[in-house]
Amino acid sequence: MKIEFRRPSRVDDLLTIETKTGEISGARAHLAQTIWRGGDILVEARVECALIDGDGRQRRFTKGGKCYFVRKTLEPEKRSNAV
């Protein structure tokens, strides 16, 4: 992960986390994440994910495995309050 922290947030802040899928190939997926408070960007991150098996070895995505990275949007009132 490469993370750039721009501004702090507070306990009761309502935050929006946006994740965009980049290149997906083999056993790796590249993501770009942004954390917003209102119109302010608090954090920007570049994430490289790897799919591994129970023994810690890389596994390739199956044909259907890439569907985990499709666009999904939750309406604000439907977002979980879980931490």
Side-chain angles (χ1 to χ4, degrees), residues 17-57:
I17 302 171
E18 176 184 72
T19 302
K20 294 182 180 179
T21 304
E23 180 184 353
I24 301 173
S25 62
R28 297 188 183 275
H30 295 256
L31 310 172
Q33 293 186 310
T34 307
I35 300 176
W36 302 80
R37 180 184 55 224
D40 296 328
I41 295 175
L42 305 181
V43 178
E44 288 187 296
R46 300 290 177 257
V47 182
E48 182 179 353
C49 304
L51 184 63
I52 59 171
D53 65 17
D55 295 322
R57 291 186 292 253

